[in-house]
Amino acid sequence: MAQIDNDIIKFLRENPLSSSPEIHKGIGKGSYATVKRAIANLLKNGQVLSEGQRRATRYQVSSANQLLGHIDIAAYFEKEIDERDIQEGFNFQLVREILAEVDVFTAEEANTLQQLQEEFRHNIAHMSPDVYNKEMERLAIDLSWKSSQIEGNTYSLLETERLLKDKETAAGKPKDDATMLLNHKEALNFIIDNPDYVVPLTIARIEDIHSILVKDLPVERNIRQRRVGISGTNYKPLDNEHQIREALEGMCNLINNKKNIFEKSLLALVLLSYIQAFNDGNKRTVRIISNAILIANQYCPISFRTIDSVEYKKAMLIFYEQNNISVFKEIFIEQFKFAVKTYF
């Protein structure tokens, strides 16, 4: 996209329903005629919508662009929480309409992922069952460690390996940290032993996975019935069980109706976190569910081992606040590539 297009999109995100003279003045670049041509092109390819006629015409960013458009992470988080212009409440339209109508991955991104999947299939076809199982074990340890670390677990990767292989707890670490890691491994083993468990995806199956992950931890099971807050954002998740179940049902229908396996897996990652169905353990649950979708379709699972925890959280905050999936999509592609190249 040309720079002037990016400038127009950025301005309209911050100033929706602006006129063309306001856009020209606001971006401070190019002639008015150049800006008008750029707006016309953005209208043509669906990135911008208009309402009104002639001099009363006003423009705003389309839902598809809001979902998939580029966001400068550094610039976004330069603003303090209360300074960011965000969508504070859950957007039912995102699940019911917008995501149902768009392909989350571009043709180029989908091709890249599919080539990596073919590489995975080729590689495992030449692996003995023993070697394959050892690599899956290594990935499971890495996933259990990183998924727990993102949630504040203090175990190192080496300590996690000792715990999961030899049941050797680390000295001076909280008991709950060990329990969280052991539960992760148990949940992943359950999915490996029951690869079709999330096909189709249902609320009950999501609750089952969550129950495994929070076993023997001070965490309430089942769909929450009270409000929760999320640190670092003013986004407010749904606050009653009826609406949460409605959102989960919509999410399950959306994912079950999607054809692309990568899209199913990515949407599970972001939407279940966005809904915040449980009082705690949401993101741990989504990482298992997302991998369960991959495993059920004989796709390479993802460990998330190299993702920085802060960058992961920033990508989620952008989705919460802007309903923009582009940053998290990049993480997903990078981590799938890492998994194929590292384990198989």
Side-chain angles (χ1 to χ4, degrees):
M1 184 188 293
Q3 184 58 49
I4 195 165
D5 292 355
N6 284 326
D7 291 338
I8 291 170
I9 293 295
K10 183 176 184 295
F11 179 81
L12 286 176
R13 279 206 184 103
E14 298 171 354
N15 305 275
L17 296 178
S18 293
S19 65
S20 53
E22 289 169 339
I23 296 170
H24 177 237
K25 181 179 178 181
I27 67 173
K29 293 179 181 178
S31 67
Y32 180 60
T34 300
V35 170
K36 285 282 287 182
R37 284 195 297 272
I39 292 172
N41 286 332
L42 291 169
L43 282 167
K44 185 177 180 180
N45 62 29
Q47 296 182 72
V48 165
L49 302 176
S50 67
E51 60 180 64
Q53 295 181 342
R54 297 184 175 87
R55 292 186 178 181
T57 304
R58 297 292 183 269
Y59 303 94
Q60 61 184 329
V61 177
S62 70
S63 298
N65 188 278
Q66 187 76 17
L67 175 71
L68 300 169
H70 172 74
I71 285 188
D72 185 327
I73 305 175
Y76 186 81
F77 286 103
E78 282 179 1
K79 294 183 179 180
E80 296 296 334
I81 297 172
D82 296 328
E83 296 174 344
R84 299 199 290 263
D85 183 18
I86 73 168
Q87 178 157 320
E88 293 190 0
F90 183 84
N91 182 5
F92 274 100
Q93 184 187 25
L94 178 68
V95 178
R96 293 171 179 162
E97 300 174 23
I98 298 170
L99 283 165
E101 298 297 325
V102 302
D103 294 323
V104 173
F105 295 105
T106 66
E108 182 179 356
E109 289 166 342
N111 184 56
T112 296
L113 286 166
Q114 195 56 47
Q115 286 181 355
L116 288 167
Q117 171 61 14
E118 293 304 319
E119 181 179 339
F120 166 72
R121 283 180 173 159
H122 173 79
N123 290 345
I124 64 172
H126 294 82
M127 279 184 176
S128 68
D130 184 55
V131 170
Y132 174 79
N133 290 335
K134 284 182 178 178
E135 289 306 302
M136 282 296 292
E137 176 78 6
R138 189 160 69 98
L139 187 148
I141 291 169
D142 287 354
L143 172 61
S144 299
W145 167 70
K146 175 54 72 170
S147 187
S148 299
Q149 186 203 54
I150 291 173
E151 306 309 314
N153 196 291
T154 60
Y155 267 62
S156 68
L157 180 54
L158 181 59
E159 289 168 336
T160 299
E161 184 176 5
R162 288 173 178 164
L163 173 69
L164 299 184
K165 280 188 171 182
D166 306 321
K167 300 297 185 288
E168 180 183 330
T169 57
K173 303 287 186 179
K175 179 184 177 182
D176 284 352
D177 281 9
T179 302
M180 182 189 293
L181 289 161
L182 290 166
N183 288 351
H184 262 91
K185 187 63 163 52
E186 182 180 344
L188 192 56
N189 285 345
F190 176 81
I191 290 301
I192 292 171
D193 292 339
N194 302 276
D196 294 328
Y197 198 72
V198 296
V199 182
L201 186 63
T202 66
I203 297 175
R205 298 296 170 90
I206 294 170
E207 289 181 297
D208 289 346
I209 299 301
H210 177 260
S211 293
I212 296 173
L213 286 163
V214 301
K215 186 178 64 175
D216 298 327
L217 291 172
V219 177
E220 295 177 20
R221 300 187 183 193
N222 304 321
I223 304 301
R224 62 181 169 84
Q225 299 178 334
R226 56 184 173 83
R227 291 183 180 181
V228 294
I230 302 174
S231 60
T233 181
N234 287 332
Y235 163 66
K236 300 178 181 66
L238 296 167
D239 60 7
N240 71 76
E241 184 181 2
H242 173 75
Q243 284 191 316
I244 293 169
R245 288 191 176 276
E246 183 182 352
L248 284 171
E249 191 67 41
M251 180 201 75
C252 289
N253 289 337
L254 173 69
I255 291 172
N256 291 334
N257 287 329
K258 287 286 185 179
K259 303 301 181 187
N260 185 291
I261 304 303
F262 296 112
E263 198 166 348
K264 288 173 179 279
S265 179
L266 174 60
L267 290 176
L269 271 173
V270 295
L271 289 177
L272 196 48
S273 294
Y274 183 47
I275 295 168
Q276 292 283 305
F278 307 105
N279 286 310
D280 197 5
N282 290 283
K283 291 192 289 296
R284 279 171 273 164
T285 302
V286 306
R287 287 186 285 271
I288 295 295
I289 296 290
S290 176
N291 270 308
I293 291 170
L294 294 172
I295 291 169
N297 292 279
Q298 295 82 51
Y299 279 51
C300 180
I302 301 174
S303 72
F304 298 98
R305 195 182 87 189
T306 61
I307 183 62
D308 179 81
S309 298
V310 173
E311 296 306 310
Y312 184 101
K313 291 174 182 177
K314 283 182 176 179
M316 282 310 317
L317 290 181
I318 287 173
F319 188 79
Y320 295 161
E321 297 181 355
Q322 301 299 328
N323 293 164
N324 183 287
I325 203 171
S326 63
V327 180
F328 209 97
K329 182 170 64 165
E330 291 178 13
I331 289 174
F332 182 90
I333 294 170
E334 289 169 0
Q335 291 304 307
F336 188 79
K337 180 179 180 179
F338 174 81
V340 172
K341 301 291 185 183
T342 302
Y343 303 105
F344 303 102

